[in-house]
Amino acid sequence: MNTLFDSCTPVTDEVLAVVAHMPTTSLPVLMNDAFALRLSDADLMRIAVLLAKKSYDEGGCPIGAVIIDNASRRIVGKGHNTLVQENHPYNHGETAAIRDAGRLDFSLTTLFTSLSPCAICATLLHMRGFARVVVGDVSNASGAEPLLRSKGVVVDILEDPLGVALYARFRVEQPVLELEDWQGLAATHKC
C-alpha cells in the first residue's frame, strides 16, 4: 500500500499536525512502518501537544495524549480532553486515548500525555498495566508521577515548550475551568 508519509518524509510540525488530526484507524493509510519508526519521543509528545491545542481551540482544556505500540512505534490510540465539548467530566486526554485504543495489552505500550495526569488517570494507567508514561508538562501541574512510579510504571519527563506555554496561558484565561477539570464542578463553588 502506498502511503503519504514514508521513510523520506521530513518530520515537521505540519506533518505531525496531520497525524494528530487524522483518525487513528486511518493512520495506516497515511503513514507506513518506516515513518512510524522514525518518530522520536519528542515527535510523539508534540502530537500530544497538538491534540491539546485542538481541545483548547474547541474551548476545552488543553490536554492531549498518544499511545504507541512499543515494538512498532505505531500510534494505536490518541485523544484530547473533552470535558467542555462532550460535557463529560472524566474524558481527559489519557482516558480519550485509552478509549480510542480499545482493548489492548497496554503493558506493551507507552502513553505520552501533554500534562501530568490527575490521580484518577494515573490510577487508570496503572490498573490497565501501562509499561511507560511520558509526561510533557510538570511545570504547570505535577503530582501523579510518584504514584505511577510506586506502582512500577516507568515515568519519563519530556517537557514540550509549546505545551507548557499553552497550559500556562489556559490557567490564566480559564482558572475556574481548570479547577473543574481537576476537582469537579463542586470545587468551583468554593472560589
Side-chain angles (χ1 to χ4, degrees):
M1 173 190 304
N2 290 336
T3 58
L4 188 59
F5 300 160
D6 59 24
S7 61
C8 298
T9 305
V11 180
T12 64
D13 274 358
E14 294 78 17
V15 166
L16 296 176
V18 172
V19 172
H21 289 84
M22 175 74 78
T24 304
T25 56
S26 298
L27 287 177
V29 174
L30 179 68
M31 57 191 228
N32 65 18
D33 290 339
F35 181 81
L37 285 169
R38 290 179 46 231
L39 294 175
S40 68
D41 284 359
D43 296 330
L44 293 159
M45 182 58 68
R46 180 52 59 98
I47 293 169
V49 167
L50 292 167
L51 288 163
K53 174 95 170 57
K54 179 180 189 314
S55 183
Y56 177 84
D57 291 344
E58 293 170 352
C61 305
I63 305 160
V66 174
I67 301 170
I68 64 160
D69 173 86
N70 290 337
S72 68
R73 293 192 64 86
R74 277 211 169 266
I75 295 170
V76 296
K78 53 192 173 74
H80 62 283
N81 185 300
T82 57
L83 167 74
V84 172
Q85 302 92 310
E86 294 181 9
N87 194 31
H88 193 301
Y90 274 104
N91 202 21
H92 288 179
E94 300 90 346
T95 59
I98 292 169
R99 182 180 69 192
D100 186 48
R103 297 172 63 203
L104 295 179
D105 179 352
F106 290 110
S107 69
L108 304 174
T109 68
T110 297
L111 180 132
F112 293 79
T113 179
S114 65
L115 186 72
S116 177
C118 70
I120 291 171
C121 287
T123 300
L124 179 63
L125 295 172
H126 154 66
M127 289 178 67
R128 289 291 166 232
F130 279 87
R132 179 175 176 234
V133 173
V134 182
V135 179
D137 181 355
V138 294
S139 295
N140 288 299
S142 65
E145 294 78 22
L147 169 67
L148 287 166
R149 288 182 179 121
S150 76
K151 301 294 185 180
V153 179
V154 174
V155 177
D156 294 317
I157 308 302
L158 180 60
E159 288 200 309
D160 182 293
L162 181 66
V164 172
L166 176 64
Y167 199 82
R169 181 173 155 194
F170 167 72
R171 291 179 89 186
V172 170
E173 294 173 350
Q174 297 280 351
V176 175
L177 181 55
E178 183 201 27
L179 181 62
E180 178 187 353
D181 188 50
W182 282 89
Q183 296 179 24
L185 198 54
T188 66
H189 302 303
K190 299 173 187 173
C191 296

